[in-house]
Protein backbone atom coordinates (compact mmCIF):
# COMPACT_ATOMS: atom_id res chain seq x y z
CA UNK A 1 0.00 0.00 0.00
CA UNK A 2 1.46 3.32 -1.06
CA UNK A 3 2.12 5.89 1.60
CA UNK A 4 -0.16 8.93 1.57
CA UNK A 5 1.58 12.26 1.44
CA UNK A 6 0.91 14.66 4.31
CA UNK A 7 -1.27 17.63 3.37
CA UNK A 8 0.66 20.62 2.12
CA UNK A 9 0.93 23.38 4.70
CA UNK A 10 -0.96 26.54 3.88
CA UNK A 11 1.15 29.58 3.06
CA UNK A 12 1.28 32.25 5.75
CA UNK A 13 0.77 34.80 2.95
CA UNK A 14 -2.38 33.20 1.53
CA UNK A 15 -4.87 35.42 3.37
CA UNK A 16 -3.24 38.86 3.40
CA UNK A 17 -0.41 38.51 0.91
CA UNK A 18 3.31 39.06 1.42
CA UNK A 19 3.27 42.82 2.02
CA UNK A 20 0.51 42.97 4.63
CA UNK A 21 1.82 39.89 6.45
CA UNK A 22 5.30 41.38 6.71
CA UNK A 23 3.87 44.72 7.88
CA UNK A 24 1.85 42.93 10.58
CA UNK A 25 4.88 40.98 11.86
CA UNK A 26 7.06 44.12 11.84
CA UNK A 27 4.41 45.96 13.86
CA UNK A 28 4.37 43.04 16.31
CA UNK A 29 8.17 43.19 16.58
CA UNK A 30 8.06 46.93 17.29
CA UNK A 31 5.44 46.37 20.00
CA UNK A 32 7.61 43.80 21.76
CA UNK A 33 10.73 45.95 21.34
CA UNK A 34 9.11 48.99 23.00
CA UNK A 35 7.34 46.88 25.61
CA UNK A 36 10.20 46.75 28.15
CA UNK A 37 13.96 47.14 28.52
CA UNK A 38 14.82 43.43 28.26
CA UNK A 39 17.61 42.88 25.69
CA UNK A 40 17.11 40.58 22.71
CA UNK A 41 19.30 37.73 21.48
CA UNK A 42 18.79 36.61 17.87
CA UNK A 43 20.18 33.28 16.74
CA UNK A 44 21.82 33.66 13.32
CA UNK A 45 23.35 30.71 11.49
CA UNK A 46 23.57 32.40 8.09
CA UNK A 47 20.85 30.16 6.66
CA UNK A 48 17.49 31.08 5.22
CA UNK A 49 15.32 30.96 8.36
CA UNK A 50 17.63 32.91 10.65
CA UNK A 51 18.32 35.41 7.84
CA UNK A 52 14.57 35.97 7.39
CA UNK A 53 14.04 36.58 11.12
CA UNK A 54 16.97 38.97 11.45
CA UNK A 55 15.85 40.82 8.33
CA UNK A 56 12.32 41.24 9.76
CA UNK A 57 13.70 42.57 13.06
CA UNK A 58 16.07 44.95 11.29
CA UNK A 59 13.31 46.34 9.04
CA UNK A 60 10.98 46.77 12.02
CA UNK A 61 13.51 48.57 14.21
CA UNK A 62 14.45 50.98 11.40
CA UNK A 63 10.90 52.35 11.53
CA UNK A 64 11.25 53.29 15.21
CA UNK A 65 12.50 56.85 15.83
CA UNK A 66 16.26 56.79 16.67
CA UNK A 67 15.63 58.29 20.09
CA UNK A 68 13.55 55.22 21.06
CA UNK A 69 16.02 52.62 19.82
CA UNK A 70 17.45 52.11 23.29
CA UNK A 71 17.28 48.34 23.71
CA UNK A 72 20.32 46.30 22.66
CA UNK A 73 19.88 43.47 20.14
CA UNK A 74 22.58 40.80 20.14
CA UNK A 75 23.01 38.60 17.05
CA UNK A 76 24.87 35.41 17.94
CA UNK A 77 26.37 32.85 15.58
CA UNK A 78 28.00 29.71 16.97
CA UNK A 79 31.13 28.60 15.13
CA UNK A 80 31.97 25.04 16.15
CA UNK A 81 35.38 25.48 14.43
CA UNK A 82 34.44 22.57 12.16
CA UNK A 83 31.71 24.38 10.22
CA UNK A 84 31.62 23.94 6.46
CA UNK A 85 34.20 26.53 5.31
CA UNK A 86 31.87 28.09 2.74
CA UNK A 87 29.21 28.76 5.36
CA UNK A 88 31.77 30.00 7.88
CA UNK A 89 33.13 32.52 5.35
CA UNK A 90 29.57 33.59 4.52
CA UNK A 91 28.73 34.26 8.17
CA UNK A 92 31.99 36.17 8.74
CA UNK A 93 31.27 38.39 5.72
CA UNK A 94 27.70 38.92 6.87
CA UNK A 95 28.85 39.95 10.37
CA UNK A 96 31.27 42.50 8.92
CA UNK A 97 28.49 44.04 6.82
CA UNK A 98 26.12 44.05 9.81
CA UNK A 99 28.56 46.05 11.94
CA UNK A 100 29.04 48.65 9.23
CA UNK A 101 25.34 48.95 8.34
CA UNK A 102 24.22 49.05 11.99
CA UNK A 103 26.57 51.97 12.68
CA UNK A 104 25.46 53.86 9.57
CA UNK A 105 21.73 53.27 10.17
CA UNK A 106 21.93 53.77 13.96
CA UNK A 107 20.37 50.37 14.58
CA UNK A 108 21.32 48.86 18.00
CA UNK A 109 22.28 45.47 16.55
CA UNK A 110 25.61 43.89 17.47
CA UNK A 111 26.82 40.57 15.94
CA UNK A 112 28.81 38.11 18.05
CA UNK A 113 30.71 35.06 16.83
CA UNK A 114 30.80 32.39 19.53
CA UNK A 115 32.99 29.31 19.67
CA UNK A 116 33.54 26.47 22.13
CA UNK A 117 36.28 26.57 24.73
CA UNK A 118 39.50 24.99 23.48
CA UNK A 119 39.03 22.00 25.82
CA UNK A 120 35.61 21.36 24.24
CA UNK A 121 36.49 21.48 20.54
CA UNK A 122 36.06 18.53 18.20
CA UNK A 123 39.74 17.85 17.55
CA UNK A 124 40.85 18.27 21.17
CA UNK A 125 38.36 15.62 22.27
CA UNK A 126 38.80 13.24 19.33
CA UNK A 127 42.55 13.54 18.70
CA UNK A 128 43.62 14.69 22.15
CA UNK A 129 41.51 12.57 24.50
CA UNK A 130 40.69 9.84 21.99
CA UNK A 131 36.91 10.16 22.15
CA UNK A 132 35.31 7.97 19.46
CA UNK A 133 33.51 9.58 16.54
CA UNK A 134 30.09 10.99 17.55
CA UNK A 135 27.09 8.72 17.02
CA UNK A 136 23.38 8.91 17.79
CA UNK A 137 24.06 6.93 20.96
CA UNK A 138 27.05 9.03 22.02
CA UNK A 139 26.69 12.53 20.56
CA UNK A 140 29.28 14.13 22.82
CA UNK A 141 29.82 17.05 20.43
CA UNK A 142 26.46 18.85 20.54
CA UNK A 143 26.53 20.12 24.10
CA UNK A 144 30.24 21.00 24.08
CA UNK A 145 30.39 22.73 20.72
CA UNK A 146 26.92 24.23 20.21
CA UNK A 147 24.77 24.36 23.31
CA UNK A 148 27.37 25.56 25.81
CA UNK A 149 28.70 28.60 23.85
CA UNK A 150 25.17 29.88 23.09
CA UNK A 151 23.79 29.23 26.55
CA UNK A 152 26.82 30.78 28.25
CA UNK A 153 26.33 33.98 26.25
CA UNK A 154 22.60 34.09 27.00
CA UNK A 155 23.21 33.41 30.70
CA UNK A 156 25.61 36.36 30.81
CA UNK A 157 22.95 38.60 29.26
CA UNK A 158 20.41 37.37 31.81
CA UNK A 159 22.90 37.85 34.66
CA UNK A 160 23.49 41.47 33.63
CA UNK A 161 19.88 42.36 32.85
CA UNK A 162 17.72 39.94 34.80
CA UNK A 163 15.99 38.58 31.68
CA UNK A 164 16.45 38.04 27.96
CA UNK A 165 14.24 37.46 24.94
CA UNK A 166 15.41 34.91 22.37
CA UNK A 167 14.30 35.57 18.81
CA UNK A 168 14.64 32.37 16.77
CA UNK A 169 13.92 31.27 13.22
CA UNK A 170 12.32 27.96 14.19
CA UNK A 171 9.32 26.90 12.12
CA UNK A 172 6.69 24.23 12.62
CA UNK A 173 7.07 23.17 8.99
CA UNK A 174 10.65 22.04 9.57
CA UNK A 175 9.60 18.67 10.98
CA UNK A 176 6.81 16.96 12.89
CA UNK A 177 9.06 16.78 15.93
CA UNK A 178 9.74 20.52 15.80
CA UNK A 179 6.01 21.22 15.48
CA UNK A 180 5.27 19.05 18.53
CA UNK A 181 8.00 20.75 20.60
CA UNK A 182 6.78 24.22 19.68
CA UNK A 183 3.15 23.32 20.43
CA UNK A 184 4.20 21.91 23.80
CA UNK A 185 6.10 25.11 24.63
CA UNK A 186 3.05 27.18 23.67
CA UNK A 187 0.86 25.09 25.97
CA UNK A 188 3.29 25.51 28.89
CA UNK A 189 3.43 29.28 28.30
CA UNK A 190 -0.32 29.85 28.15
CA UNK A 191 -1.22 32.60 30.59
CA UNK A 192 2.41 33.18 31.62
CA UNK A 193 2.96 36.29 29.48
CA UNK A 194 0.93 39.23 28.27
CA UNK A 195 1.10 37.92 24.69
CA UNK A 196 0.52 34.38 23.46
CA UNK A 197 3.26 34.77 20.83
CA UNK A 198 5.90 34.44 23.55
CA UNK A 199 6.78 31.08 25.07
CA UNK A 200 8.88 29.88 27.99
CA UNK A 201 12.40 28.60 27.56
CA UNK A 202 12.62 25.53 29.77
CA UNK A 203 16.39 25.18 29.40
CA UNK A 204 17.25 28.78 30.34
CA UNK A 205 15.36 30.34 33.29
CA UNK A 206 14.38 34.01 33.01
CA UNK A 207 14.29 33.88 29.24
CA UNK A 208 11.42 33.97 26.79
CA UNK A 209 11.25 32.84 23.17
CA UNK A 210 9.75 34.70 20.21
CA UNK A 211 9.43 32.89 16.86
CA UNK A 212 8.07 35.40 14.29
CA UNK A 213 8.00 32.98 11.32
CA UNK A 214 6.85 29.84 13.12
CA UNK A 215 3.91 29.37 10.69
CA UNK A 216 5.85 30.08 7.48
CA UNK A 217 6.56 27.43 4.88
CA UNK A 218 9.87 26.98 3.06
CA UNK A 219 8.38 28.74 0.04
CA UNK A 220 7.24 31.63 2.25
CA UNK A 221 10.78 32.11 3.54
CA UNK A 222 12.30 32.15 0.07
CA UNK A 223 9.58 34.42 -1.33
CA UNK A 224 10.27 36.95 1.42
CA UNK A 225 14.05 36.80 0.97
CA UNK A 226 13.81 37.19 -2.80
CA UNK A 227 11.23 40.01 -2.72
CA UNK A 228 12.51 42.08 0.21
CA UNK A 229 16.00 43.62 0.04
CA UNK A 230 18.47 42.66 2.73
CA UNK A 231 18.93 45.74 4.98
CA UNK A 232 22.56 45.11 5.98
CA UNK A 233 23.86 44.77 2.44
CA UNK A 234 24.17 40.99 2.05
CA UNK A 235 22.66 39.59 -1.12
CA UNK A 236 19.89 37.06 -0.62
CA UNK A 237 20.39 35.76 -4.15
CA UNK A 238 23.83 34.57 -3.08
CA UNK A 239 22.18 32.83 -0.13
CA UNK A 240 19.86 31.06 -2.55
CA UNK A 241 22.90 30.04 -4.57
CA UNK A 242 24.39 28.39 -1.50
CA UNK A 243 21.32 26.16 -1.29
CA UNK A 244 20.98 25.34 -4.99
CA UNK A 245 24.12 23.22 -5.13
CA UNK A 246 22.92 20.71 -2.54
CA UNK A 247 19.89 18.55 -1.84
CA UNK A 248 16.89 20.22 -0.25
CA UNK A 249 17.21 20.31 3.53
CA UNK A 250 16.77 22.45 6.60
CA UNK A 251 19.37 24.86 7.91
CA UNK A 252 21.29 24.31 11.14
CA UNK A 253 19.49 26.39 13.79
CA UNK A 254 20.78 27.99 16.96
CA UNK A 255 21.07 25.03 19.32
CA UNK A 256 20.11 25.78 22.91
CA UNK A 257 19.04 22.32 24.09
CA UNK A 258 19.26 18.64 23.15
CA UNK A 259 15.74 18.59 21.67
CA UNK A 260 16.89 20.72 18.76
CA UNK A 261 17.15 18.53 15.63
CA UNK A 262 20.63 17.57 14.51
CA UNK A 263 21.92 19.59 11.59
CA UNK A 264 24.39 16.90 10.53
CA UNK A 265 22.56 16.10 7.29
CA UNK A 266 21.94 19.72 6.38
CA UNK A 267 23.95 22.16 4.34
CA UNK A 268 24.91 24.06 7.45
CA UNK A 269 26.15 21.19 9.59
CA UNK A 270 29.70 20.43 10.67
CA UNK A 271 31.80 18.99 7.86
CA UNK A 272 33.17 16.29 10.19
CA UNK A 273 29.71 15.10 11.32
CA UNK A 274 29.51 11.30 11.64
CA UNK A 275 26.04 11.17 13.22
CA UNK A 276 24.59 10.68 9.73
CA UNK A 277 25.61 7.88 7.36
CA UNK A 278 26.67 10.23 4.56
CA UNK A 279 27.02 13.97 4.13
CA UNK A 280 24.87 14.13 1.02
CA UNK A 281 24.77 17.93 0.97
CA UNK A 282 28.57 18.22 0.79
CA UNK A 283 28.64 15.49 -1.85
CA UNK A 284 26.10 17.44 -3.90
CA UNK A 285 27.96 20.74 -3.46
CA UNK A 286 31.17 19.20 -4.80
CA UNK A 287 29.38 17.41 -7.65
CA UNK A 288 27.21 20.33 -8.77
CA UNK A 289 29.69 23.20 -8.51
CA UNK A 290 33.15 22.97 -10.05
CA UNK A 291 34.32 25.90 -7.92
CA UNK A 292 33.71 23.81 -4.79
CA UNK A 293 35.79 20.80 -5.86
CA UNK A 294 38.49 21.93 -3.42
CA UNK A 295 36.19 20.61 -0.67
CA UNK A 296 36.64 17.02 -1.88
CA UNK A 297 39.52 16.32 0.58
CA UNK A 298 37.22 17.38 3.44
CA UNK A 299 34.61 14.84 2.35
CA UNK A 300 37.29 12.16 2.01
CA UNK A 301 38.57 12.94 5.49
CA UNK A 302 35.06 12.87 6.95
CA UNK A 303 34.31 9.49 5.32
CA UNK A 304 37.56 8.07 6.67
CA UNK A 305 36.65 9.14 10.18
CA UNK A 306 33.12 7.77 9.79
CA UNK A 307 34.61 4.45 8.66
CA UNK A 308 32.61 4.60 5.44
CA UNK A 309 33.72 2.18 2.73
CA UNK A 310 34.69 5.00 0.33
CA UNK A 311 36.96 6.52 2.97
CA UNK A 312 38.95 3.40 3.87
CA UNK A 313 42.47 3.41 2.52
CA UNK A 314 44.67 0.47 1.39
CA UNK A 315 46.34 0.03 4.80
CA UNK A 316 43.06 -0.58 6.58
CA UNK A 317 41.65 -2.67 3.74
CA UNK A 318 44.66 -4.92 4.10
CA UNK A 319 43.59 -5.75 7.65
CA UNK A 320 40.51 -7.46 6.20
CA UNK A 321 42.70 -9.81 4.16
CA UNK A 322 41.03 -11.46 1.16
CA UNK A 323 38.29 -8.81 1.10
CA UNK A 324 40.83 -6.09 0.46
CA UNK A 325 39.74 -5.54 -3.15
CA UNK A 326 36.05 -6.25 -2.67
CA UNK A 327 33.39 -3.97 -1.24
CA UNK A 328 33.62 -4.03 2.52
CA UNK A 329 30.63 -5.17 4.54
CA UNK A 330 29.24 -3.37 7.57
CA UNK A 331 30.87 -6.03 9.74
CA UNK A 332 34.24 -5.34 8.08
CA UNK A 333 33.86 -1.62 8.77
CA UNK A 334 33.00 -2.30 12.40
CA UNK A 335 36.15 -4.44 12.72
CA UNK A 336 38.22 -1.58 11.33
CA UNK A 337 36.63 0.87 13.77
CA UNK A 338 37.35 -1.46 16.72
CA UNK A 339 40.96 -1.85 15.59
CA UNK A 340 41.39 1.90 15.94
CA UNK A 341 40.43 1.85 19.62
CA UNK A 342 42.01 0.58 22.82
CA UNK A 343 40.36 -2.40 24.49
CA UNK A 344 40.70 -0.57 27.82
CA UNK A 345 38.80 2.39 29.17
CA UNK A 346 40.53 5.74 29.62
CA UNK A 347 41.35 4.84 33.24
CA UNK A 348 42.89 1.49 32.18
CA UNK A 349 40.06 -0.77 33.31
CA UNK A 350 38.65 -3.53 31.07
CA UNK A 351 34.91 -4.07 30.79
CA UNK A 352 33.14 -6.94 29.03
CA UNK A 353 29.77 -7.07 27.32
CA UNK A 354 28.56 -10.28 25.68
CA UNK A 355 32.03 -11.86 26.02
CA UNK A 356 33.77 -8.99 24.21
CA UNK A 357 35.56 -5.91 25.49
CA UNK A 358 33.80 -2.58 25.32
CA UNK A 359 36.16 -0.48 23.16
CA UNK A 360 37.71 2.57 24.78
CA UNK A 361 39.43 5.66 23.35
CA UNK A 362 41.35 5.79 20.10
CA UNK A 363 44.85 4.35 20.22
CA UNK A 364 48.00 6.44 20.16
CA UNK A 365 48.80 5.38 16.61
CA UNK A 366 45.37 6.37 15.30
CA UNK A 367 45.40 9.71 17.10
CA UNK A 368 48.81 10.49 15.61
CA UNK A 369 47.51 9.41 12.20
CA UNK A 370 44.61 11.80 12.49
CA UNK A 371 46.56 14.88 13.50
CA UNK A 372 48.80 14.18 10.50
CA UNK A 373 45.84 13.77 8.13
CA UNK A 374 44.12 16.98 9.28
CA UNK A 375 47.33 18.97 8.85
CA UNK A 376 47.94 17.42 5.42
CA UNK A 377 44.47 18.34 4.18
CA UNK A 378 44.78 21.84 5.65
CA UNK A 379 48.04 22.39 3.79
CA UNK A 380 46.65 20.92 0.57
CA UNK A 381 43.57 23.17 0.57
CA UNK A 382 45.64 26.25 1.37
CA UNK A 383 47.94 25.58 -1.57
CA UNK A 384 45.45 24.34 -4.17
CA UNK A 385 42.16 25.96 -3.13
CA UNK A 386 40.82 29.41 -4.08
CA UNK A 387 42.30 32.52 -2.50
CA UNK A 388 39.50 32.85 0.07
CA UNK A 389 40.71 29.65 1.77
CA UNK A 390 44.43 30.43 1.53
CA UNK A 391 44.53 30.83 5.30
CA UNK A 392 41.98 28.15 6.13
CA UNK A 393 42.50 26.71 9.62
CA UNK A 394 41.04 23.21 10.01
CA UNK A 395 42.78 22.87 13.35
CA UNK A 396 44.02 25.87 15.34
CA UNK A 397 47.34 26.31 17.07
CA UNK A 398 45.48 26.58 20.40
CA UNK A 399 43.94 23.15 19.74
CA UNK A 400 47.30 21.65 18.79
CA UNK A 401 48.82 23.04 21.97
CA UNK A 402 46.03 21.53 24.09
CA UNK A 403 46.30 18.18 22.28
CA UNK A 404 50.03 18.14 22.96
CA UNK A 405 49.40 18.89 26.64
CA UNK A 406 46.88 16.04 26.92
CA UNK A 407 49.25 13.59 25.24
CA UNK A 408 52.06 14.57 27.60
CA UNK A 409 50.25 15.12 30.91
CA UNK A 410 47.21 12.84 30.68
CA UNK A 411 48.19 10.14 28.19
CA UNK A 412 51.81 10.01 29.50
CA UNK A 413 53.15 9.85 25.94
CA UNK A 414 56.40 11.63 26.66
CA UNK A 415 57.91 10.89 23.26
CA UNK A 416 56.21 14.23 22.42
CA UNK A 417 55.39 13.25 18.84
CA UNK A 418 53.11 16.14 17.89
CA UNK A 419 55.84 18.76 17.20
CA UNK A 420 57.62 16.22 14.99
CA UNK A 421 54.45 15.44 13.03
CA UNK A 422 53.76 19.16 12.63
CA UNK A 423 57.23 19.86 11.28
CA UNK A 424 57.12 16.91 8.87
CA UNK A 425 53.78 17.98 7.40
CA UNK A 426 53.93 21.77 7.53
CA UNK A 427 57.65 22.11 6.83
CA UNK A 428 58.23 24.45 9.76
CA UNK A 429 58.98 24.12 13.44
CA UNK A 430 56.16 23.80 15.91
CA UNK A 431 55.93 27.36 17.33
CA UNK A 432 55.67 26.23 20.93
CA UNK A 433 58.86 25.37 22.86
CA UNK A 434 59.25 21.71 23.82
CA UNK A 435 58.24 20.62 27.31
CA UNK A 436 61.04 21.23 29.79
CA UNK A 437 59.94 18.56 32.27
CA UNK A 438 60.40 15.45 30.13
CA UNK A 439 62.58 12.69 31.54
CA UNK A 440 63.32 11.22 28.12
CA UNK A 441 63.76 12.58 24.65
CA UNK A 442 63.03 10.93 21.29
CA UNK A 443 66.35 9.03 21.27
CA UNK A 444 65.76 7.80 24.83
CA UNK A 445 62.29 6.65 23.77
CA UNK A 446 63.85 4.54 21.00
CA UNK A 447 66.41 3.05 23.38
CA UNK A 448 63.65 2.10 25.80
CA UNK A 449 61.77 0.38 22.97
CA UNK A 450 64.92 -1.60 22.07
CA UNK A 451 65.43 -2.66 25.69
CA UNK A 452 61.85 -3.96 25.81
CA UNK A 453 62.65 -6.02 22.68
CA UNK A 454 59.30 -5.57 20.95
CA UNK A 455 57.19 -6.28 24.05
CA UNK A 456 54.58 -3.56 23.65
CA UNK A 457 53.04 -4.14 27.07
CA UNK A 458 56.40 -3.90 28.85
CA UNK A 459 57.29 -0.80 26.85
CA UNK A 460 54.03 0.96 27.76
CA UNK A 461 54.40 -0.07 31.39
CA UNK A 462 57.94 1.29 31.66
CA UNK A 463 56.89 4.51 29.96
CA UNK A 464 53.97 4.92 32.37
CA UNK A 465 56.12 4.26 35.43
CA UNK A 466 58.74 6.73 34.26
CA UNK A 467 56.02 9.31 33.69
CA UNK A 468 54.84 8.88 37.28
CA UNK A 469 58.36 9.72 38.37
CA UNK A 470 58.31 12.77 36.09
CA UNK A 471 55.11 14.04 37.71
CA UNK A 472 56.39 13.60 41.27
CA UNK A 473 59.96 14.71 40.61
CA UNK A 474 61.05 17.60 42.81
CA UNK A 475 58.15 17.28 45.24
CA UNK A 476 59.13 17.57 48.90
CA UNK A 477 56.24 15.31 49.92
CA UNK A 478 55.50 12.56 47.39
CA UNK A 479 52.10 11.60 48.82
CA UNK A 480 50.12 9.41 46.43
CA UNK A 481 53.04 8.19 44.33
CA UNK A 482 52.56 4.55 45.40
CA UNK A 483 48.85 4.61 44.60
CA UNK A 484 49.67 6.07 41.21
CA UNK A 485 52.25 3.33 40.53
CA UNK A 486 49.73 0.64 41.51
CA UNK A 487 47.13 2.10 39.16
CA UNK A 488 49.60 2.04 36.26
CA UNK A 489 50.56 -1.58 37.05
CA UNK A 490 46.90 -2.61 37.08
CA UNK A 491 46.28 -0.88 33.76
CA UNK A 492 49.11 -2.92 32.20
CA UNK A 493 48.24 -6.30 33.71
CA UNK A 494 46.99 -7.80 30.43
CA UNK A 495 49.29 -8.72 27.57
CA UNK A 496 46.60 -8.15 24.97
CA UNK A 497 42.86 -8.08 24.42
CA UNK A 498 42.55 -11.89 24.22
CA UNK A 499 44.20 -12.29 27.62
CA UNK A 500 42.00 -9.55 29.06
CA UNK A 501 38.86 -11.31 27.81
CA UNK A 502 39.99 -14.70 29.13
CA UNK A 503 40.87 -13.41 32.60
CA UNK A 504 37.78 -11.22 32.82
CA UNK A 505 35.58 -14.18 31.91
CA UNK A 506 37.20 -16.21 34.67
CA UNK A 507 36.71 -13.33 37.10
CA UNK A 508 33.03 -13.10 36.12
CA UNK A 509 32.61 -16.86 36.49
CA UNK A 510 33.96 -16.71 40.03
CA UNK A 511 31.76 -13.73 40.88
CA UNK A 512 28.70 -15.50 39.50
CA UNK A 513 29.59 -18.65 41.43
CA UNK A 514 30.01 -16.67 44.65
CA UNK A 515 26.82 -14.74 43.98
CA UNK A 516 24.95 -17.98 43.33
CA UNK A 517 25.97 -19.39 46.69
CA UNK A 518 24.92 -16.15 48.35
CA UNK A 519 21.55 -16.26 46.57
CA UNK A 520 20.95 -19.80 47.77
CA UNK A 521 21.57 -18.66 51.32
CA UNK A 522 19.49 -15.46 51.16
CA UNK A 523 16.91 -16.47 48.50
CA UNK A 524 17.43 -13.20 46.62
CA UNK A 525 17.44 -13.04 42.81
CA UNK A 526 20.80 -13.01 41.05
CA UNK A 527 21.74 -9.79 39.26
CA UNK A 528 23.62 -9.59 35.96
CA UNK A 529 26.66 -7.36 35.72
CA UNK A 530 25.25 -5.52 32.69
CA UNK A 531 21.89 -5.39 31.00
CA UNK A 532 21.26 -4.62 27.34
CA UNK A 533 20.16 -1.07 28.17
CA UNK A 534 23.08 -0.35 30.47
CA UNK A 535 25.76 -0.21 27.79
CA UNK A 536 26.45 3.04 25.98
CA UNK A 537 29.56 4.57 24.47
CA UNK A 538 29.69 7.03 27.37
CA UNK A 539 31.24 4.47 29.69
CA UNK A 540 34.63 5.03 28.07
CA UNK A 541 34.86 8.45 29.74
Amino acid sequence: MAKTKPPKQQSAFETDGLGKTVDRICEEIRKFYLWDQIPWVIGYSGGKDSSAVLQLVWLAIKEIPPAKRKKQIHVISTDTLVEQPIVSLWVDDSHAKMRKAAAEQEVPITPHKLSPATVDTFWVNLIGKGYPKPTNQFRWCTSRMKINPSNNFIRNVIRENGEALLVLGTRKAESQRRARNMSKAEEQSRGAFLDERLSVNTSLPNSRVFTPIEDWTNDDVWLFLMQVKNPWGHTNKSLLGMYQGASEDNECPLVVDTSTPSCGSSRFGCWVCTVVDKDRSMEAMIKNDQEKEWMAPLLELRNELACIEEGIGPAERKKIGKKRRDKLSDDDLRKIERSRRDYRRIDGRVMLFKDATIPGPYTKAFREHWVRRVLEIQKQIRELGPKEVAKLELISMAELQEIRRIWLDEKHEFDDSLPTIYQEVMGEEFPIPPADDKLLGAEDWEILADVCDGDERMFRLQADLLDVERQYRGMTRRAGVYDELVDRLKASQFADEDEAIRLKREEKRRLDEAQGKKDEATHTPQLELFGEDDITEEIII
Side-chain angles (χ1 to χ4, degrees), residues 82 121-142 144-145 270-278 300-312 316 329-342 346 359-363 366-367 370 536-541:
V82 283
T121 66
F122 185 82
W123 296 125
V124 166
N125 282 278
L126 187 134
I127 296 178
K129 297 180 180 178
Y131 279 20
K133 63 183 182 183
T135 64
N136 277 316
Q137 290 73 37
F138 186 36
R139 194 182 298 180
W140 53 262
C141 51
T142 304
R144 288 175 171 85
M145 295 160 51
C270 302
W271 69 267
V272 293
C273 184
T274 54
V275 174
V276 293
D277 293 333
K278 288 190 176 183
E300 179 185 343
L301 202 66
R302 180 261 168 198
N303 288 344
E304 181 182 344
L305 176 62
C307 210
I308 290 178
E309 200 272 343
E310 293 93 327
I312 301 300
E316 290 190 306
S329 66
D330 290 341
D331 187 55
D332 292 332
L333 296 174
R334 280 191 290 270
K335 288 179 180 177
I336 290 176
E337 173 64 14
R338 284 188 66 91
S339 72
R340 297 171 170 180
R341 295 168 62 178
D342 200 332
I346 282 181
Y362 286 129
T363 63
F366 188 70
R367 288 183 280 107
W370 258 88
T536 69
E537 289 283 351
E538 290 194 66
I539 63 175
I540 71 158
I541 301 177

Side-chain angles (χ1 to χ4, degrees), residues 347-362:
D347 60 6
R349 289 183 295 165
V350 174
M351 299 182 70
L352 294 188
F353 178 61
K354 292 186 176 180
D355 290 332
T357 59
I358 300 170
Y362 286 129

Side-chain angles (χ1 to χ4, degrees), residues 419-458:
T420 302
I421 294 172
Y422 183 88
Q423 184 169 10
E424 290 174 354
V425 175
M426 304 302 291
E428 56 188 47
E429 288 189 10
F430 193 61
I432 301 172
D436 59 2
D437 60 345
K438 292 191 302 177
L439 286 178
L440 304 179
E443 293 183 1
D444 300 315
W445 185 267
E446 294 175 1
I447 293 172
L448 180 61
D450 290 338
V451 170
C452 293
D453 195 25
D455 188 331
E456 180 64 22
R457 178 179 62 163
M458 181 59 67

Side-chain angles (χ1 to χ4, degrees), residues 512-527:
D512 289 344
E513 186 177 288
Q515 183 68 43
K517 292 179 179 179
K518 181 179 179 181
D519 291 338
E520 291 177 6
T522 61
H523 301 287
T524 56
Q526 182 175 350
L527 300 175

